[in-house]
Amino acid sequence: MKLTIALNSKILLAPRTGIGNYVVELAQALQQDPGLGMHFFYGSRWRDALADAPMPGYSRWAGVAKRLPAAYALRRIFEQQNFNRGARELRPDVYHEPSLWPLDFAGPTVMTVHDLTHIHYPQTQPKDRLREIERRLPSALTRVSRILVDSEFIGHEIRQHFGLPDQKVVVAPLACSAVFQPRLEQQLAVRLKKLGLSYRGFILSVGTLEPRKNLSLTLRAHARLPPLLRSRFPLLVVGMPGWQAGELSGELSRAISSGHVRLAGYLDQADLACVTAAARMMVFPSLYEGFGLPVLEAMASGTPVIASDSASLPEVAAAAAAYVDPQDEAGLTEQMRRLMEDDRAWMAHRIAGLERSVQFSWKKCAAITAEVYRQAVNC
């Protein structure tokens, strides 16, 4: 029997980051399954095709909308009405919500929980959004048929915190886009020149600019390096401002003024794939991750990774990454220096990362997800 799936894809109207990339890659893989038919919901309308670009001006519009009284609750009402109209017409067999706020649906619902950031780091969430999550999430987890998670780490957390039965929570590990792959220097010359970078001549930090990503530790650890190494390997910071990014602004501004740190802001996937493949290493000492997709992207690009030894990151990178305590400034400096100066260690991490990365694929993630849809219909 062919199943029709309603996938909430409104995240694709915003510039692509973690969950947006998840929706695109998963949907493209699911569309290869002849047993599935896909319908995509975009908040105000339904389509049978994936959005190929963010909505122009979305970030500015969203910023204004969030300042309106009860913005999240009002938007929820509007989206629910539009969802109901489309669901009545299309009659999907399963509704899949890829984040924390499933809409009401009369049939089987599958949701994806990427992390529990709102519990561990509530200060990283706008207050209105946090209130809505706390109000809606527990009941949503109870009523949905199945819950997909990105890692065993998150699966354990969600079962323990909410008392969910084991069979209701299914791990479907993420993968990364095929654009993340090793590149030769000549393939990257034009983009690197545009960004003022040299091949294997910089350290990369990727992530939304918010306290949870622990950029402050990266900045301090980089500043501890000898001046010659800081000059030879500047730090490139890639990411959009996040909640409470202002806490980082002074420290980041001072680091940039030193001449050894550069802020690239948001990069589209093509540019991000290029800088990831060109970096000497990626530094990712995040305090908390449900998966840590940038780590996998770096490994698939042949770029060694230094990651924190917390949350899901050791599960994803296994023995391929170099690990540090996310509070250990001196330890991070030492690991950076080791991968700058020890070419043999650098190559060992590069090879191990490439070998580890091929164990993840969107085809596998989609196969697990499709099976969960079938379980949801039959349970």
Side-chain angles (χ1 to χ4, degrees):
M1 180 183 72
K2 185 169 184 175
L3 296 181
T4 57
I5 311 301
L7 178 62
N8 192 342
S9 306
K10 67 179 182 180
I11 189 75
L12 301 186
L13 302 179
R16 302 275 161 81
T17 54
I19 298 179
N21 289 328
Y22 166 76
V23 170
V24 167
E25 297 289 347
L26 176 63
Q28 289 175 341
L30 289 170
Q31 285 177 314
Q32 304 306 308
D33 187 332
L36 298 178
M38 303 296 297
H39 300 298
F40 304 101
F41 177 61
Y42 292 101
S44 61
R45 65 189 188 279
W46 289 79
R47 290 178 60 190
D48 288 339
L50 281 168
D52 55 6
M55 184 176 76
Y58 177 88
S59 296
R60 185 170 58 253
W61 176 86
V64 172
K66 287 176 183 178
R67 290 194 292 271
L68 297 174
Y72 288 101
L74 290 172
R75 186 169 64 183
R76 174 82 176 193
I77 294 170
F78 170 75
E79 290 175 354
Q80 185 69 63
Q81 291 173 343
N82 291 326
F83 182 85
N84 291 346
R85 281 194 290 268
R88 284 194 296 268
E89 179 182 345
L90 298 169
R91 300 176 64 83
D93 297 300
V94 179
Y95 159 47
H96 184 177
E97 173 54 56
S99 61
L100 295 178
W101 297 17
L103 295 159
D104 294 331
F105 178 60
T109 297
V110 171
M111 67 182 292
T112 302
V113 177
H114 298 281
D115 56 55
L116 297 180
T117 302
H118 71 284
I119 293 173
H120 297 289
Y121 297 94
Q123 69 275 16
T124 66
Q125 302 287 331
K127 290 181 180 179
D128 285 352
R129 175 181 168 82
L130 182 62
R131 280 196 297 269
E132 286 295 298
I133 293 173
E134 290 176 338
R135 185 165 70 92
R136 296 181 182 276
L137 181 60
S139 62
L141 293 172
T142 300
R143 77 172 190 269
V144 299
S145 302
R146 288 289 186 272
I147 301 162
L148 289 162
V149 293
D150 302 339
S151 62
E152 294 285 356
F153 168 79
I154 288 299
H156 176 75
E157 273 208 330
I158 197 170
R159 286 191 297 267
Q160 291 293 107
H161 189 86
F162 292 98
L164 299 172
D166 290 351
Q167 68 272 18
K168 191 170 187 175
V169 181
V170 180
V171 179
L174 308 186
C176 60
S177 169
V179 302
F180 291 94
Q181 57 182 273
R183 314 273 183 118
L184 299 174
E185 183 174 359
Q186 54 265 38
Q187 294 176 290
L188 301 173
V190 173
R191 276 195 169 94
L192 290 179
K193 184 177 180 181
K194 181 180 73 173
L195 294 168
L197 301 169
S198 62
Y199 186 73
R200 301 301 187 192
F202 63 97
I203 299 169
L204 181 63
S205 170
V206 174
T208 305
L209 305 184
E210 62 179 47
R212 174 171 64 96
K213 298 298 184 179
N214 211 13
L215 175 59
S216 180
L217 181 79
T218 302
L219 294 173
R220 297 195 309 271
H222 187 263
R224 292 172 63 106
L225 290 166
L228 187 61
L229 285 180
R230 272 185 287 145
S231 179
R232 184 181 169 195
F233 296 100
L235 176 66
L236 179 70
V237 178
V238 175
M240 294 190 302
W243 187 247
Q244 291 188 331
E247 293 184 7
L248 288 167
S249 59
E251 188 173 12
L252 184 56
S253 295
R254 290 190 295 273
I256 292 169
S257 67
S258 74
H260 298 131
V261 176
R262 303 174 191 178
L263 178 62
Y266 173 79
L267 295 181
D268 64 24
Q269 195 173 62
D271 278 341
L272 179 59
C274 286
V275 298
T276 301
R280 177 71 178 185
M281 70 193 79
M282 173 183 281
V283 177
F284 198 79
S286 179
L287 297 171
Y288 178 80
E289 295 290 326
F291 187 83
L293 194 54
V295 167
L296 183 57
E297 292 168 347
M299 293 193 300
S301 302
T303 297
V305 174
I306 304 173
S308 64
D309 59 3
S310 61
S312 64
L313 297 179
E315 179 183 337
V316 173
Y323 292 102
V324 295
D325 184 297
Q327 307 297 334
D328 187 357
E329 181 181 315
L332 179 54
T333 302
E334 182 56 34
Q335 289 284 22
M336 287 182 183
R337 186 164 184 169
R338 183 174 71 94
L339 291 181
M340 291 172 184
E341 299 178 329
D342 188 339
D343 289 338
R344 182 173 295 181
W346 182 89
M347 183 58 71
H349 283 291
R350 169 182 164 85
I351 293 171
L354 287 168
E355 291 174 347
R356 176 64 177 167
S357 69
V358 299
Q359 298 178 40
F360 299 84
S361 75
W362 285 114
K363 183 177 180 180
K364 290 180 182 178
C365 183
I368 295 170
T369 302
E371 177 58 27
V372 165
Y373 293 158
R374 295 181 179 98
Q375 291 175 9
V377 169
N378 293 321
C379 71

